[in-house]
């Protein structure tokens, strides 16, 4: 995929360039410090993806989006969270809140690649092997096989975690961050310092709580609310 960067801060430009280099199927066609320069370039050479800052000289990223007809895929990069809702109304692919990790960057690019039918980063599959549907939970001296889709939520309780399925509860010594790294990130999300949920198990949101299909209510932590809402919306 061809892409450009519209970003006026050199440190942010360097980070984006490094991340783009680390992804094999992205080709950077240009870096611009304001949207006017980028508009001139895009008239001559369309691209598949734009990494767009919001606070820019001359014309903001949001105003830029409102002015260009049929924009390409847009990933917003900004230090300000208050534009998230407005950006999704403009049909951006993702909203990266600075500073963001390479993992978060790659997840955003994967959303673009899914739209275009490109294989996901980190999931290249040349032998058509199906993605993992089961995991093994180490509990004491046992390794218990669990179907991933059966997991309702995972709760941390100091020195151990509880993996709750629709049939039973398993106790593991692995920390919560282990399950974040192990489970599919498009299906599981951390909503609280002590809770990860299966997004397919959500019944509805009630204030700052998630009501799960089985009737259990879990709190949404303030630090996790924005990321959670972006993932489900």
């Amino acid at each position: 995929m061809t892409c450009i960067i519209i970003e006026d801060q050199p440190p942010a430009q360097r980070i984006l360039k490094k991340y783009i280099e680390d992804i094999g199927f992205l080709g950077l066609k240009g870096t611009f410090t304001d949207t006017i320069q980028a508009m001139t370039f895009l008239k001559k050479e369309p691209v598949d993806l734009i990494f767009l800052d919001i606070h820019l000289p001359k014309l903001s990223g949001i105003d830029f989006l409102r002015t260009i007809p049929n924009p390409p895929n847009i990933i917003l990069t900004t230090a300000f969270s208050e534009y998230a809702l407005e950006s999704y109304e403009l049909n951006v692919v993702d909203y990266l809140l600075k500073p963001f990790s390479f993992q978060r960057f790659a997840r955003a690019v994967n959303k673009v690649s899914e739209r275009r039918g490109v294989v996901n980063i980190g999931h290249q599959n040349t032998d058509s092997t199906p993605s993992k549907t089961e995991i093994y939970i180490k509990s004491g001296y046992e390794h218990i096989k669990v179907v991933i889709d059966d997991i309702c939520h995972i709760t941390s309780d100091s020195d151990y975690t509880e993996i709750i399925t629709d049939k039973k509860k398993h106790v593991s010594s692995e920390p919560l961050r282990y399950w974040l790294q192990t489970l599919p990130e498009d299906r599981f999300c951390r909503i609280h310092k002590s809770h990860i949920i299966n997004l397919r198990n959500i019944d509805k949101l009630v204030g700052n709580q998630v009501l799960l299909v089985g009737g259990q209510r879990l709190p949404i932590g303030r630090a996790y609310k924005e990321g959670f809402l972006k993932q489900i919306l």
Side-chain angles (χ1 to χ4, degrees), residues 1 19-26 102 106-107 109-110 113-114 117-132:
M1 288 190 294
Y19 286 175
I20 289 169
E21 288 175 2
D22 289 342
I23 294 180
F25 61 80
L26 279 181
F102 176 75
R107 191 194 311 172
V109 175
N110 273 336
S113 66
E114 287 168 0
V118 179
V119 179
N120 280 359
I121 305 160
H123 298 278
Q124 285 83 354
N125 205 339
T126 56
D127 60 358
S128 300
T129 303
S131 58
K132 183 187 292 186

Side-chain angles (χ1 to χ4, degrees), residues 51-98:
F51 295 99
L52 176 64
D53 189 17
I54 290 181
H55 285 265
L56 293 164
K58 300 180 182 178
L59 187 70
S60 74
I62 295 293
D63 290 336
F64 168 74
L65 282 179
R66 296 185 189 281
T67 59
I68 56 174
N70 302 316
N73 295 289
I74 303 290
I75 294 177
L76 288 178
T77 61
T78 179
F80 302 91
S81 61
E82 61 265 29
Y83 299 97
L85 181 58
E86 185 177 8
S87 71
Y88 283 108
E89 291 173 351
L90 294 170
N91 199 32
V92 304
V93 177
D94 210 339
Y95 188 99
L96 297 181
L97 196 60
K98 301 174 184 175

Side-chain angles (χ1 to χ4, degrees), residues 128-141:
S128 300
T129 303
S131 58
K132 183 187 292 186
T133 59
E134 301 166 341
I135 58 172
Y136 282 83
I137 297 172
K138 185 178 186 302
S139 181
Y141 294 102

Side-chain angles (χ1 to χ4, degrees), residues 1 21 31 37 43 45 47 65 71 79 85 103 111 120 136 138 153 164 184 214 228:
M1 288 190 294
E21 288 175 2
T31 301
Q37 295 175 350
K43 288 178 181 179
E45 188 170 347
V47 296
L65 282 179
L85 181 58
Q103 181 183 16
K111 292 181 181 180
N120 280 359
Y136 282 83
K138 185 178 186 302
H153 67 277
I164 315 297
F228 169 55

Side-chain angles (χ1 to χ4, degrees), residues 22-42:
D22 289 342
I23 294 180
F25 61 80
L26 279 181
L28 181 62
K29 295 299 182 181
T31 301
F32 306 93
T33 57
D34 65 67
T35 51
I36 305 302
Q37 295 175 350
M39 288 172 69
T40 302
F41 174 85
L42 291 171

Side-chain angles (χ1 to χ4, degrees), residues 156-208:
S156 172
D157 190 351
S158 62
D159 296 330
Y160 61 91
T161 50
E162 296 178 345
I163 296 87
I164 315 297
T165 72
D166 55 355
K167 297 178 181 178
K168 62 186 303 184
K169 176 173 67 177
H170 304 281
V171 178
S172 170
S173 59
E174 301 289 0
L176 210 60
R177 63 177 179 273
Y178 169 82
W179 299 113
L180 279 175
Q181 296 168 356
T182 301
L183 294 168
E185 62 183 17
D186 61 330
R187 286 151 59 189
F188 289 83
C189 181
R190 190 170 189 173
I191 63 166
H192 187 273
K193 66 179 181 179
S194 300
H195 303 294
I196 295 172
I197 64 168
N198 185 339
L199 298 176
R200 299 179 181 180
N201 200 44
I202 297 174
D203 184 20
K204 59 184 174 180
L205 306 184
V206 183
N208 287 322

